[in-house]
Amino acid sequence: MILHLVRHPKPQIEAGICYGELEILAKIEMADLRDLQSRLPAGIPLWSSPLRRCHDLALALHPAPQLDADLAEIHFGEWEGQLWDEIPRHELDAWAADVVGYAPPGGESPRQLQGRARQAIARISVPEAVVVTHGGVIRALLAHWLELADDAWLTVSADFLSVTTVELDANGRVRRVTKR
């Protein structure tokens, strides 16, 4: 299977605000859309997070994207929409002590995000697809496929409008990862 993981455009939100599943718009310029289209194969199925910053891009790329809630960004619970500086220090310290296992109050952990993202990918039953999603989802999937230790998750990143192509063998092991 070949998956082209596309990160959404930069959200229109003030710097310093915690957002995951918070619904935020993201504007894409026509030149950026054409550039992105040139980096993707034409005519293949497309799956997308239902959050607007992904869904709007998915609609610009494909006439009938398939939405999957398990491709949504991490849910930060009570932290959603707060300034990072206003989140209680003890909660941030607990997260820093267990980056992949800690769940903010009312939210989910990166490990939980990884589990649901893996389920979404397992439902894709075509040999090649585009997946429009979020930086956290891409990070969690790559951490799984590359078998990264917990402390190495934060070394994985995906820029806005980037394409990370992952080729998996029949057993779900990575053959190749390329970033464009």
Side-chain angles (χ1 to χ4, degrees), residues 32-45:
D32 291 331
L33 179 60
R34 283 191 296 275
D35 175 63
L36 181 58
Q37 289 170 322
S38 75
R39 293 181 279 144
L40 293 169
I44 63 173

Side-chain angles (χ1 to χ4, degrees), residues 2-172:
I2 299 172
L3 297 171
H4 306 278
L5 307 173
V6 177
R7 187 173 180 197
H8 59 77
K10 185 175 181 180
Q12 296 176 329
I13 189 168
E14 292 177 43
I17 295 179
C18 175
Y19 68 92
E21 288 192 353
L22 192 64
E23 205 48 277
I24 307 165
L25 296 179
K27 183 178 177 186
I28 183 165
E29 302 294 331
M30 284 306 297
D32 291 331
L33 179 60
R34 283 191 296 275
D35 175 63
L36 181 58
Q37 289 170 322
S38 75
R39 293 181 279 144
L40 293 169
I44 63 173
L46 186 147
W47 275 259
S48 177
S49 160
L51 297 178
R52 289 283 307 270
R53 57 193 185 263
C54 289
H55 187 206
D56 289 350
L57 175 60
L59 286 169
L61 293 171
H62 195 279
Q66 299 192 42
L67 301 181
D68 191 327
D70 284 340
L71 293 171
E73 184 60 285
I74 192 168
H75 180 45
F76 281 115
E78 294 176 11
W79 295 2
E80 292 280 350
Q82 286 192 53
L83 289 168
W84 283 104
D85 292 342
E86 293 178 359
I87 295 171
R89 184 81 231 163
H90 70 277
E91 291 178 14
L92 292 174
D93 290 343
W95 185 29
D98 185 8
V99 175
V100 300
Y102 179 79
E108 69 182 329
S109 71
R111 194 172 312 286
Q112 291 170 313
L113 163 67
Q114 184 185 64
R116 70 174 163 79
R118 288 178 58 202
Q119 291 173 3
I121 297 302
R123 290 190 291 270
I124 298 175
S125 59
V126 296
E128 188 170 10
V130 172
V131 177
V132 178
T133 190
H134 307 269
V137 173
I138 294 169
R139 172 181 287 130
L141 288 170
L142 288 173
H144 166 70
W145 289 323
L146 298 174
E147 300 177 358
L148 298 179
D150 291 356
D151 62 350
W153 279 40
L154 296 178
T155 65
V156 178
S157 65
D159 295 333
F160 295 113
L161 295 174
S162 65
V163 177
T164 303
T165 299
V166 180
E167 185 178 341
L168 302 170
D169 67 17
N171 297 314

